[in-house]
Structures are given as C-alpha cells and as structure tokens.
Amino acid sequence: MISVERKNSFQLRLTRRLKEETSHRLDVYLFMPAELGLNAHVISEEAFYHASINVSRTYYSDAYHLPLVHSRLASRNQLGSESYRLNLSLYAYQYVVAMERTTQELLMGERKLRDERQKASDENHKSSQALCEQLNEMCDLSESILKRMRRHQPADERLYKYFANIDNYLSWFTEQQLLALVAHMPRGGDFSDIKRRFISICEHEDEYRREQQYNAERVMTDPTRMSNKMRLLRRLIEYPITLKQESLELGSGEQKAVKALATAVVMACVTLGVLRVREVVGDITALFVLAMALLYALREVFKDDLRNTLWRWLRRGRPKWRRQYVDPTRNATVGRQLEWFDYKRYAALDKDIQQMRRRTVAQREEMVLHYRSSSRMLPTRFLSGYEHTRETLHIDLLTLTRLMSKEKHHIYRLKDGQAVRESVERRHLFNLIVRETGSEDHPYLARWKVVVSRSGIVDVEKVADNIPGEEAAKESVTASPSP
C-alpha cells in the first residue's frame, strides 16, 4: 500500500512498505497541464531528476515492540552498544513517522469540521465526537509508547547518551505535535476537555526535559536554537537505520563509444568525399578549397546529429541510474535499484494508466513526468530480526511552480448588497498516478489529485484506488471530473 501526502509547501511524500519479496517495481506518473510549457528544452530530464527526486530507505518492523526488546537486551550487556543505538533509533523513528501521519490526518479532520459548521447541529456533534475519540486514542498511545521506552533507562554511560538524545527528541516532538493540534482545534464545545489534556501533557513533557537537564537554559529560551538542535537529533536518530546509497549514472562508457563511432563514420564519409573531389577537380584550386570547406561544414553538422540519434536509440527504454543500498552499521550491500525518468505523452502510456487517467479533450496535450524504479533487495543480509524496509520518495514541485504565472485574477460577488472585488490565486490541477508491483499479491494502482499554486501545494486528495478496467475510469470520473 502506498500513501501520498504533502510534506511541506512544495514537496510530495510517497511512502510504501516493502515486503519480503526480493523484487519490487514502482511507476509514478505526474500529469501536468500543457499551459505550463514544460519540455526537455526548458528543464532537461536529468536536471529535473537530480533537483526534484529524492529516495531513501529505512529498516521497518511489523512487530512494533521488537526494537525496544532488542534495546533492552543490549542494555543488559547481551548485545553491543551499536545494537542498542540502532534498535532504539528504529523504535523512535517508527513512533515519529506514525505520529506525523496521524497528526496530519487529524489536522485535516479539524479543518473539515470547521468547514462543516454550517451543517445541521446533530451531524456536527457526531463529527466532533468522532474526532475527540481519535484525539484521545492518539494521546493514550503516545503516553503509552513514551512510558515503555522510559521504563528501562540504561545505567551504562555509553548507552545513556543514546537514550538521552532519543528521549529528548521524542519528548519535544510529542509536545510540538500536540500543540499543533491544539492550535487548530475548534474552540469550546466538545473539545474543551481534550484541549486541557493536551496542554497538560505538553507542560509535563517540558518539565520532564528540565528535570533531566537535556537542554541548556539558553537553548530553551531561543526557539531557533532549540529547533536546530532537535533537527540535529532527528538526523542522529535516522542515521543508523537509514540505508546508505551509492548512486551511479549508467551509460558513460557507451556514450564514449557512441561518440567515437559517430566521429569515425562521419570522418570516413568526409575522407571519401575529399578523395572524390580530388578526382573530379584535380589540382588544388579555389573550387577544391570551397568543396573542402563544404565537406567539413557538413561534418560538424551531422556529427552531433548522428551521435545524438545513436545515443537515443541505444538508451531507449534502458535504466539511466543505479543505486546500491548499504547497511550503515556493517557496510554490507543489501540491495540494488535501477531507475528511469523521462517525459512522455498520453498516447505512449500503458492502457491501464490511460484508463485510470480518464481525460477530456482539453487535456490531450498534458505533459507526463514518468519515474520508474526496479529494486532487488536481499533480506538475508538485513539487520538481524528485520525483513522489511520502508521507502520514502520525495517529489519537489518547486521547479514546476516557477513555470506558473505570477498574476492574480479578480472576481466580483455580492456582499451585504454591495459588489465586492476579491483577489483569487491561480491554481493548477496535477494528477498523480502510482502503480506498484511486487509488494502486494496484485499490482496496486491509484490516482491522486494535487492542487498546486505558485506559492506551493494547496491540497492532495485520493480519488481512485486499485479498480481495474472500465469500472476504474467510471468511478474516477464520478469521484472527481477531470479538469
């Protein structure tokens, strides 16, 4: 299963959990409006890939408490300090990821609840009750997870420094997520009790960090320094569980061979032309010099064209990059991945992708950005006790937003019997289709609507999910008509 969400103003985050199968394949199609004018001359495929595509993988466990059990064994000197750090980091990272996703979902729920204030009071009350139950459940789970980790604080100084860094970050991170929910929570009504509970937990976590003396006073009083320190601690948590990557661009040797072949073919033709001109003209005359100049001019023209044509023909459909994943602790290779990225037209797409992206006449000129990855992992070389990995793919749309117009439109509407002019931001609708094979029993296919303006991503909404054939097209059109 794949989830797509907005990471920040300009980045989309795609996450998926990879099962024990050794081979996985992922196709990501981003449909862009033709009016943006994107093509290989404006932004080359290689430039967009290097600037906007980022992939990372971390260890993942279905048994959520397994990392904590391993860390406790390490604290009893049954495993090494590196094992303690790695397992405790994995436990903390899975908690952070789960809480980030839950917080985003609850924030969307709070936003929808505010938008539904105009509906009947009984429906609004039911929505509020359901949201309160979710908030209380998240609060209970968060407190339980932190208590489990703090229950076994290591006495060894070598282990305690890892525990202190992780405990410090989780305490601050939990406080920040709860405060974000409090800040966007509707006032009064059913949310008064849960708001007081959240604030009480935040005060307790702040006092807890002071008692443990995790942060200096000058750091706590400066939000910038505090944020920078916590970002560093987040990186320290992620480092031991994130697979290192060694990237290689494919085809460098072939490119040199193509260049040499093109040069040899053109020079052979030029040499034959020179010999033929010498036979026809005879002595070196002005006509002979002119013919030689023409031959060399043709050489310069056709050499590059021939080289580019041969290169495109040779590399068509073949991967452009290769990643090698390495365990950060043991420096052992645990998997490899091949990657493709190119611009496509609608007619060149597979039929299932065309059916999922049911379009109208107005979108026939859409530009399609296609990213593909094919990975082969080696679970037998994974860290002991772990057979899964979690892949995160970030797509940065900042480069695309720069192609959007800065102008704003104005609309008029009646307000209190007066005509009022309002400024409206220009927005574009992107369609994101993801197809995955290998991680599930059957190929997974889904489509999201991504609303984007020049100032960033406005909204991400899933509109179709794993529905084969013509039924998928009908349901996707019913859920959200194509722009």
Side-chain angles (χ1 to χ4, degrees):
M1 185 66 69
I2 298 177
S3 64
V4 178
E5 57 192 356
R6 182 181 66 172
K7 180 186 178 184
N8 53 40
S9 297
F10 295 98
Q11 285 191 347
L12 286 174
R13 177 166 56 193
L14 287 73
T15 56
R16 60 176 180 148
R17 177 174 61 88
L18 304 180
K19 291 185 177 180
E20 294 87 346
E21 288 87 353
T22 56
S23 298
H24 305 87
R25 182 169 173 174
L26 176 69
D27 287 282
V28 179
Y29 299 86
L30 183 63
F31 293 77
M32 290 181 46
E35 60 183 301
L36 295 184
L38 177 66
N39 55 53
H41 299 290
V42 177
I43 304 174
S44 67
E45 297 168 347
E46 290 77 11
F48 186 89
Y49 170 84
H50 290 296
S52 304
I53 303 294
N54 181 43
V55 182
S56 64
R57 287 197 180 185
T58 60
Y59 281 117
Y60 180 89
S61 174
D62 280 333
Y64 296 107
H65 298 303
L66 180 63
L68 191 58
V69 172
H70 284 178
S71 66
R72 289 173 182 173
L73 290 175
S75 65
R76 296 169 186 170
N77 296 324
Q78 297 183 30
L79 295 173
S81 59
E82 282 299 321
S83 178
Y84 175 83
R85 178 192 179 190
L86 193 150
N87 286 284
L88 195 61
S89 294
L90 182 56
Y91 181 77
Y93 180 72
Q94 293 189 160
Y95 165 71
V96 167
V97 170
M99 192 165 189
E100 280 181 337
R101 181 179 296 112
T102 303
T103 301
Q104 289 297 322
E105 293 174 355
L106 292 175
L107 286 173
M108 290 180 62
E110 292 178 354
R111 190 178 302 114
K112 290 180 180 179
L113 186 61
R114 290 196 302 270
D115 295 339
E116 293 174 355
R117 287 293 186 181
Q118 303 298 328
K119 290 186 177 181
S121 59
D122 55 343
E123 295 182 7
N124 191 20
H125 181 69
K126 290 180 181 179
S127 301
S128 300
Q129 290 287 344
L131 184 56
C132 284
E133 291 178 2
Q134 295 176 5
L135 291 170
N136 275 305
E137 183 181 5
M138 187 198 77
C139 196
D140 293 337
L141 291 173
S142 177
E143 288 184 309
S144 175
I145 291 172
L146 292 178
K147 285 179 180 178
R148 286 194 185 98
M149 189 189 70
R150 293 167 181 172
R151 195 176 297 159
H152 294 272
Q153 182 173 316
D156 191 337
E157 185 64 29
R158 294 175 303 171
L159 305 183
Y160 177 76
K161 62 181 181 180
Y162 300 132
F163 172 85
N165 286 336
I166 292 175
D167 190 29
N168 186 14
Y169 177 77
L170 292 189
S171 175
W172 179 84
F173 173 80
T174 302
E175 176 187 311
Q176 291 298 306
Q177 298 300 303
L178 296 182
L179 289 178
L181 290 170
V182 170
H184 295 86
M185 203 174 290
R187 297 182 180 181
D190 301 324
F191 295 92
S192 299
D193 293 338
I194 188 63
K195 185 179 294 187
R196 284 194 294 268
R197 183 182 179 188
F198 276 24
I199 293 175
S200 176
I201 294 174
C202 294
E203 292 174 347
H204 174 267
E205 291 299 326
D206 182 69
E207 184 62 28
Y208 172 80
R209 294 194 301 273
R210 292 179 183 274
E211 291 176 357
Q212 298 297 323
Q213 299 181 351
Y214 284 153
N215 307 296
E217 187 65 30
R218 64 180 182 276
V219 175
M220 292 187 291
T221 55
D222 188 344
T224 302
R225 298 184 65 172
M226 190 71 172
S227 176
N228 290 336
K229 179 178 180 178
M230 293 305 164
R231 188 163 59 248
L232 175 60
L233 293 182
R234 173 71 175 264
R235 292 175 59 190
L236 293 176
I237 291 174
E238 294 178 353
Y239 175 78
I241 62 171
T242 302
L243 300 179
K244 293 193 297 185
Q245 301 181 28
E246 298 175 1
S247 182
L248 174 66
E249 187 168 355
L250 302 177
S252 58
E254 295 174 347
Q255 190 173 19
K256 294 178 181 178
V258 167
K259 184 177 181 180
L261 177 62
T263 302
V265 170
V266 172
M267 286 303 299
C269 294
V270 169
T271 302
L272 291 176
V274 170
L275 295 176
R276 182 61 179 166
V277 169
R278 183 63 183 271
E279 291 177 0
V280 174
V281 176
D283 296 333
I284 298 177
T285 62
L287 182 61
F288 178 78
V289 173
L290 181 62
M292 287 288 294
L294 179 61
L295 286 174
Y296 277 100
L298 292 175
R299 184 197 71 169
E300 293 302 319
V301 171
F302 289 106
K303 181 178 69 174
D304 292 337
D305 290 343
L306 178 61
R307 181 178 61 192
N308 294 335
T309 301
L310 289 174
W311 177 246
R312 286 195 301 269
W313 174 79
L314 181 64
R315 297 299 302 174
R316 180 178 298 172
R318 300 178 64 184
K320 297 181 180 180
W321 299 275
R322 181 177 64 201
R323 293 178 190 266
Q324 184 168 285
Y325 292 103
V326 179
D327 184 284
T329 304
R330 297 175 289 114
N331 286 326
T333 301
V334 296
R336 293 179 175 85
Q337 177 168 290
L338 298 176
E339 294 181 321
W340 295 255
F341 183 82
D342 50 10
Y343 299 155
K344 288 190 173 183
R345 291 294 179 184
Y346 180 80
L349 302 179
D350 298 338
K351 288 187 177 180
D352 56 344
I353 302 298
Q354 292 181 358
Q355 290 175 346
M356 181 62 75
R357 176 65 182 112
R358 191 77 169 186
R359 307 185 310 167
T360 60
V361 177
Q363 280 74 47
R364 286 183 178 175
E365 298 300 321
E366 278 183 327
M367 174 62 73
V368 185
L369 280 63
H370 176 215
Y371 168 83
R372 171 182 291 173
S373 67
S374 177
S375 60
R376 185 174 182 84
M377 305 303 289
L378 303 172
T380 55
R381 298 186 183 181
F382 283 5
L383 178 70
S384 178
Y386 301 99
E387 297 178 339
H388 301 170
T389 57
R390 179 179 183 270
E391 182 181 79
T392 303
L393 171 65
H394 291 113
I395 303 178
D396 194 335
L397 303 183
L398 178 61
T399 305
L400 303 180
T401 58
R402 292 172 178 169
L403 302 177
M404 299 178 182
S405 175
K406 296 181 180 179
E407 65 177 348
K408 292 187 177 182
H409 298 277
H410 295 90
I411 63 171
Y412 296 86
R413 66 186 184 90
L414 287 174
K415 183 177 181 181
D416 298 331
Q418 299 293 327
V420 180
R421 189 180 77 164
E422 293 185 353
S423 179
V424 178
E425 185 180 38
R426 188 170 187 177
R427 296 177 177 179
H428 299 270
L429 180 61
F430 293 4
N431 278 267
L432 180 71
I433 295 180
V434 179
R435 179 175 59 190
E436 181 189 32
T437 56
S439 290
E440 302 293 340
D441 296 333
H442 302 284
Y444 177 78
L445 188 64
R447 179 165 74 97
W448 287 262
K449 288 195 309 182
V450 184
V451 182
V452 185
S453 69
R454 187 175 176 85
S455 58
I457 300 172
V458 179
D459 186 37
V460 179
E461 179 186 359
K462 191 173 188 178
V463 294
D465 184 5
N466 204 25
I467 307 174
E470 199 64 29
E471 294 179 1
K474 293 180 180 179
E475 180 157 342
S476 63
V477 171
T478 303
S480 175
S482 297

